[in-house]
Amino acid sequence: MKYLLLIIVFFCFFDPTFCLTGKFWQVTDQHYDWKYKYQSRPSHGNCRKGEGNAGYYGDYNCDVPWLTLESAIEEMSIIEPNVDFVINSGDTMPHAGGSAEEKLQTIVNTTNLIRKYFPNTTVFYSPGNHDFKPKHGCQLGENPWLAEMAQGISPILNPEQTETFLKGGYYSQVIEGLRVVIMNTVLYYKNNKYTRHSDGDPSDQYLWITSQIDEAYENDEKVLFVGHVPPGYAERFGSMNFHDQYNTPFMKVFEEHPHKEIILASLFGHLHSDSFRLTDNAGPLLLAPALTPWKNYHTELGVPNNLGMGRLFSYDKQDKTLLKYEQYSADLQTCNEDLKLIWQLEYDSSQEPFCMEDLSLKSYEKLFYQMLTDEEIFNHYLDFNILKYKPDPCGLDYYDWKYKYQSRPSHGNCRKGEGNAGYYGDYNCDIPWLTLESAIEEMSIIEPNVDFVINSGDTFPHAGGSAVEKLQTIVNTTNLIRMYFPNTTVFYSPGNHDFKPMHGCDPGNLWLVEMAQSISPILNPEQTETFLKGGYYSQVIEGLRVVIMNTVLYYKNNKYTKDLEGDPADQFLWITSQIDEAYENDEKVLFVGHVPPGYAERFGSMNFHDQYNTPFMKVFEEHPHKEIILASLFGHLHSDSFRLTDNAGPLLLAPALTPWKNYHTELGVPNNLGMGRLFSYDKQDKTLLKYEQYSADLQTCNEDLKLIWQLEYDSSQEPFYMEDLSIQSYHKLFDQMANDEEIFNHYLDFNILKYKADPCDQECKNRQLCSIEYLHSNYYELCREFMKI
């Protein structure tokens, strides 16, 4: 021991930084499964039974066995045993679950394992959402489970820490001028049912956090925060981690504190990813990757990761600045193949490729800028985000995946520059992924038990992108709907922006092969066959035949069919056969397309090439059994409107989710966010009864930084009071609009979802009414001339 001390003194004399550098470990999201079975069959996120190929050290679809967990902790103690403390940022319990006794035992076992390999070291534990009973559920007030937890980790708590832990699952400790503050962010977690309808300051944690910063400032300390669930959004999925009412107040506790400069950083886990978040001068938020490789099988966007052993931080003991970290990992596939678990340095933050000077907020802001402007740096970040697991090509996680908050709207997109683009979108641009996901999620909350969901096309942003990016948006949007409606039939009608090139669909289109592959989970072999022919298919659901059409074939901007005529891709013939079959089988028919026939009511321009408009309508209006057609549903024009037919059902145009203004024409106006339209129908006689249109006021949502969806109107209630959605009811509504200014003005309000546009003059009214009543060019032009008189 005497010689060891002499060596240490020797090093300190020649290199003072050797003794001034402190170190600590962070390990997170162990999720060890005590029932893990080697060579079992992965099922529903666990490897517990059956015969399969689950590896010796774990499986990408499952959690890890004890031997992998112990190997990780042991290797940490070999790489650097002399640390000042070890942080376990939560989630010891496997996703497959277990009893209350088993849950407590995993917390005890994991804590004791760390203490075994770091016997004289302070150990911190921040509770994870899976560590609670019930899962995710941290209730307010007196919480018996916190008492059980406190008992389980009693060897690492002193009496004062136990007192605050029992109150809300939080505590702190000062180590040589560094205040480590353990938070319980499960209180705010979006899946915590106990706080879903609460607000304020659950368990007084905001107040307590504030007091910790105050005390640290008074004592000339720096502060390191630790939690499990981070605030903000999950970078892989685009969903918020907290209940909406807690996210901003939580961040304000830090960002509005007068002494926020003493906050070094906040460390989190939960998302299983290696990432970071920027704050307003309150230190960076650093997310450590998980030990478990488990894929989030609750979402199609979920991907696994390789094994995240632990993260070794270095800090300056004198001024308490965070200097760097070293991230260690193991390639699970290689380890399983070689039956040898090899841990290795994934990267050092101070070395290539990032070469960060330190872990200050300023350094992370610099790194973020590099990621934005340097594709190579961003790709390195992506590699480390999932510890070099090889996923599908980087998905486009936004409807406009390049949407940039507070960018400058330009040429119909919000992708760069400094400006005032809102958090949830901009009237001059398309929307970010978080707005799209919020809409689909809200639909599933309002009414999850639907018979089917229709996506009537145009998933791709107006700003464009590559073929790979275009296909990925179709995949992502389809998978998002399936995620929130997991056991529901999903229909997709291709939009003009979904084709490559944009608007371009020619008969026998190779792009349809790519599209079919993208939406393969929602197509059966028979549907795939017709989709490959022309982008159309059908399915019968309890006597209702839903017929998906590809009306991009006739679209006025489709250069491939501009000089053709006849029946492109034999779709007219196929539509006729669908009505015939439905009649023979005593079914009703609901048609779905993207581009509607007739005229755009805002612009007065025809939507189809002229040679297709009348033949298309004749397929419906001259069919001997047209009375079985309930309606035809469309999108494309971004407006809430309808069209009348000759007893072939109404054409119903749903408004767009995107608020994008058509900047190609002076007549273009934006709209508010059209969340979705919920139809009700009589299952016995298959009549459409009503719909409810949901929306959000974009300006208000951006100002409040809170996305609130609301019922815009119910077709059966005021102001329209429609008896049903039959063609007769729409003829009646049209007569009211033509003769009652108040009803017409209500229609105008809903047409753009109450966006405040210029008043509609007589010319505007003429375009609106003529486009509704007349879909054929000769009658439409006569109507326009007549109404000018």
Side-chain angles (χ1 to χ4, degrees):
M1 179 61 72
K2 179 171 66 175
Y3 297 112
L4 177 61
L5 289 173
L6 285 173
I7 291 171
I8 291 174
V9 170
F10 179 81
F11 276 118
C12 290
F13 180 79
F14 286 99
D15 184 8
T17 59
F18 182 85
C19 294
L20 291 176
T21 301
K23 295 188 177 184
F24 64 89
W25 281 105
Q26 180 190 6
V27 62
T28 192
D29 294 272
Q30 304 89 44
H31 291 288
Y32 92 81
D33 188 350
W34 61 92
K35 292 184 179 179
Y36 185 94
K37 180 186 172 187
Y38 174 45
Q39 293 185 334
S40 60
R41 184 183 67 253
S43 176
H44 299 290
N46 70 76
C47 294
R48 292 184 164 187
K49 57 186 179 180
E51 299 302 321
N53 58 356
Y56 194 63
Y57 299 108
D59 186 277
Y60 288 115
N61 294 289
C62 308
D63 288 315
V64 294
W66 178 263
L67 66 94
T68 302
L69 172 59
E70 181 163 22
S71 173
I73 305 301
E74 182 182 22
E75 186 68 14
M76 286 163 55
S77 71
I78 294 170
I79 292 170
E80 183 51 80
N82 300 310
V83 291
D84 299 308
F85 51 91
V86 177
I87 293 169
N88 174 7
S89 45
D91 268 10
T92 63
M93 185 73 177
H95 293 86
S99 67
E101 292 77 12
E102 290 167 333
K103 186 161 287 199
L104 285 171
Q105 196 59 50
T106 62
I107 297 171
V108 171
N109 290 351
T110 306
T111 303
N112 288 342
L113 179 67
I114 296 171
R115 292 176 65 234
K116 170 186 170 183
Y117 285 101
F118 294 90
N120 302 310
T121 308
T122 300
V123 177
F124 292 105
Y125 165 71
S126 177
N129 52 296
H130 282 273
D131 297 336
F132 281 88
K133 191 69 178 179
K135 182 172 62 175
H136 317 314
C138 181
Q139 62 193 62
L140 303 177
E142 186 176 347
N143 188 336
W145 188 254
L146 285 176
E148 299 284 356
M149 269 189 174
Q151 182 63 34
I153 62 170
S154 59
I156 67 172
L157 295 178
N158 62 38
E160 185 179 351
Q161 292 170 334
T162 301
E163 183 179 349
T164 56
F165 192 91
L166 289 173
K167 183 176 182 181
Y170 47 79
Y171 65 99
S172 69
Q173 184 170 332
V174 179
I175 297 178
E176 298 182 25
L178 177 61
R179 183 176 291 251
V180 182
V181 179
I182 303 298
M183 304 178 293
N184 173 18
T185 54
V186 181
L187 283 166
Y188 320 121
Y189 182 42
K190 66 179 181 180
N191 289 337
N192 184 354
K193 63 181 181 180
Y194 296 111
T195 57
R196 180 177 298 152
H197 303 297
S198 303
D199 52 23
D201 184 7
S203 299
D204 296 330
Q205 186 171 221
Y206 297 163
L207 185 64
W208 179 79
I209 291 170
T210 302
S211 73
Q212 293 297 304
I213 305 175
D214 290 338
E215 289 179 23
Y217 179 77
E218 291 170 4
N219 298 328
D220 196 26
E221 301 161 354
K222 294 291 181 68
V223 187
L224 181 69
F225 284 98
V226 179
H228 179 71
V229 183
Y233 289 80
E235 75 275 7
R236 297 181 193 167
F237 317 129
S239 55
M240 186 178 276
N241 304 316
F242 283 8
H243 289 307
D244 189 61
Q245 68 270 29
Y246 295 121
N247 194 77
T248 297
F250 178 82
M251 288 309 303
K252 282 183 176 180
V253 172
F254 303 87
E255 294 179 328
E256 296 186 358
H257 197 286
H259 306 306
K260 60 186 177 183
E261 74 280 355
I262 68 171
I263 301 172
L264 296 183
S266 298
L267 312 184
F268 295 94
H270 181 65
L271 294 180
H272 296 201
S273 62
D274 185 337
S275 188
F276 64 94
R277 306 289 184 266
L278 303 177
T279 70
D280 182 9
N281 294 320
L285 276 56
L286 307 183
L287 281 60
L291 174 62
T292 183
W294 180 85
K295 172 186 176 180
N296 189 336
Y297 67 94
H298 299 299
T299 166
E300 292 295 329
L301 297 172
V303 292
N305 50 267
N306 277 308
L307 304 172
M309 184 197 84
R311 177 169 283 186
L312 179 63
F313 287 86
S314 298
Y315 68 101
D316 188 311
K317 283 194 164 187
Q318 193 166 19
D319 62 11
K320 304 296 183 301
T321 53
L322 289 178
L323 302 174
K324 70 170 188 172
Y325 66 75
E326 299 157 55
Q327 179 63 55
Y328 291 86
S329 66
D331 184 293
L332 179 60
Q333 182 176 343
T334 303
C335 294
N336 279 334
E337 289 172 355
D338 297 344
L339 285 179
K340 190 174 184 181
L341 188 49
I342 302 294
W343 301 103
Q344 56 193 353
L345 176 65
E346 183 85 3
Y347 69 100
D348 180 325
S349 65
S350 69
Q351 305 298 318
E352 293 184 350
F354 300 144
C355 300
M356 297 179 71
E357 293 180 13
D358 54 30
L359 302 181
S360 65
L361 182 63
K362 185 177 179 180
S363 292
Y364 273 101
E365 288 172 343
K366 181 180 177 181
L367 175 59
F368 179 71
Y369 178 76
Q370 289 177 302
M371 287 165 56
L372 282 176
T373 57
D374 188 328
E375 193 74 18
E376 186 177 355
I377 292 294
F378 180 71
N379 287 333
H380 280 303
Y381 162 80
L382 283 182
D383 274 350
F384 298 144
N385 184 260
I386 46 182
L387 300 175
K388 295 185 179 176
Y389 172 80
K390 300 301 180 187
D392 296 329
C394 176
L396 310 174
D397 292 335
Y398 300 91
Y399 189 75
D400 184 351
W401 62 96
K402 293 183 179 179
Y403 185 95
K404 180 185 173 188
Y405 175 45
Q406 294 184 333
S407 60
R408 184 182 66 254
S410 176
H411 298 290
N413 70 77
C414 293
R415 291 183 165 187
K416 57 187 178 179
E418 300 301 322
N420 58 358
Y423 197 62
Y424 299 109
D426 187 277
Y427 289 115
N428 295 288
C429 309
D430 288 315
I431 54 170
W433 177 268
L434 65 96
T435 302
L436 172 60
E437 180 165 26
S438 174
I440 305 301
E441 181 180 23
E442 186 69 13
M443 287 164 55
S444 72
I445 293 170
I446 292 169
E447 183 50 81
N449 301 310
V450 293
D451 299 309
F452 51 91
V453 177
I454 293 169
N455 174 7
S456 45
D458 267 9
T459 63
F460 203 63
H462 294 84
S466 69
V468 172
E469 291 167 339
K470 187 160 288 199
L471 289 169
Q472 194 63 47
T473 62
I474 298 171
V475 171
N476 288 352
T477 306
T478 304
N479 287 343
L480 180 67
I481 297 171
R482 293 176 65 230
M483 179 177 94
Y484 283 103
F485 293 91
N487 302 308
T488 307
T489 300
V490 177
F491 292 106
Y492 165 71
S493 177
N496 53 296
H497 282 273
D498 298 335
F499 282 90
K500 191 70 177 178
M502 182 169 60
H503 317 314
C505 179
D506 58 331
N509 191 339
L510 291 176
W511 186 254
L512 289 173
V513 178
E514 301 287 352
M515 270 189 173
Q517 180 64 33
S518 298
I519 62 170
S520 59
I522 66 173
L523 295 178
N524 62 38
E526 185 179 351
Q527 292 169 334
T528 301
E529 184 179 349
T530 57
F531 191 92
L532 290 173
K533 183 176 183 181
Y536 47 80
Y537 65 100
S538 70
Q539 184 169 334
V540 179
I541 298 178
E542 297 182 23
L544 176 62
R545 183 176 291 250
V546 182
V547 178
I548 304 299
M549 304 178 292
N550 174 18
T551 55
V552 180
L553 283 165
Y554 320 123
Y555 182 42
K556 66 178 181 182
N557 289 337
N558 184 353
K559 64 181 181 180
Y560 295 111
T561 56
K562 180 181 180 181
D563 299 317
L564 298 178
E565 54 185 23
D567 185 6
D570 296 329
Q571 186 171 220
F572 294 163
L573 183 65
W574 178 79
I575 290 170
T576 301
S577 73
Q578 293 297 303
I579 304 174
D580 290 338
E581 288 179 24
Y583 179 76
E584 291 170 5
N585 297 328
D586 196 25
E587 301 160 354
K588 294 290 179 70
V589 188
L590 181 68
F591 284 99
V592 179
H594 179 70
V595 183
Y599 288 78
E601 74 275 8
R602 297 181 194 167
F603 317 130
S605 55
M606 184 178 277
N607 303 316
F608 283 8
H609 290 307
D610 187 63
Q611 70 269 30
Y612 296 121
N613 193 77
T614 295
F616 178 82
M617 287 309 304
K618 282 184 176 181
V619 172
F620 303 89
E621 293 180 325
E622 296 186 0
H623 197 285
H625 307 305
K626 61 186 177 183
E627 74 280 355
I628 68 171
I629 301 172
L630 296 183
S632 298
L633 311 183
F634 295 95
H636 182 65
L637 294 180
H638 295 205
S639 62
D640 185 336
S641 190
F642 63 95
R643 303 291 184 266
L644 302 176
T645 68
D646 180 9
N647 293 318
L651 276 55
L652 306 183
L653 281 59
L657 176 57
T658 182
W660 182 84
K661 173 186 176 180
N662 189 333
Y663 66 95
H664 298 297
T665 167
E666 291 297 323
L667 294 173
V669 293
N671 50 268
N672 277 307
L673 304 171
M675 184 198 85
R677 177 170 282 185
L678 178 63
F679 286 87
S680 299
Y681 68 101
D682 187 312
K683 282 196 164 187
Q684 192 165 18
D685 63 11
K686 304 295 183 300
T687 53
L688 289 179
L689 302 174
K690 68 169 188 173
Y691 66 76
E692 299 157 55
Q693 178 63 53
Y694 291 86
S695 66
D697 184 291
L698 179 60
Q699 182 175 345
T700 302
C701 294
N702 279 335
E703 289 171 356
D704 297 345
L705 284 179
K706 191 172 185 179
L707 188 49
I708 301 294
W709 301 104
Q710 57 193 351
L711 177 65
E712 183 85 5
Y713 70 99
D714 180 326
S715 65
S716 68
Q717 304 298 319
E718 62 177 343
F720 299 145
Y721 294 108
M722 297 181 71
E723 293 180 14
D724 54 29
L725 303 181
S726 65
I727 187 66
Q728 292 78 16
S729 292
Y730 274 101
H731 275 289
K732 182 179 177 181
L733 175 59
F734 178 77
D735 289 341
Q736 290 177 304
M737 287 168 51
N739 298 292
D740 187 328
E741 197 70 21
E742 185 177 357
I743 293 294
F744 180 73
N745 287 334
H746 280 303
Y747 161 80
L748 282 181
D749 274 349
F750 298 143
N751 184 258
I752 48 180
L753 299 176
K754 296 184 180 176
Y755 174 81
K756 301 304 179 187
D758 294 334
C760 185
D761 57 17
Q762 190 60 43
E763 176 69 11
C764 163
K765 185 174 182 178
N766 291 352
R767 283 196 302 268
Q768 291 278 352
L769 294 177
C770 289
S771 67
I772 291 173
E773 189 172 20
Y774 298 109
L775 281 79
H776 303 273
S777 59
N778 52 342
Y779 292 117
Y780 175 82
E781 296 300 337
L782 285 173
C783 175
R784 291 294 304 281
E785 289 301 318
F786 176 78
M787 294 189 77
K788 288 178 182 177
I789 300 173

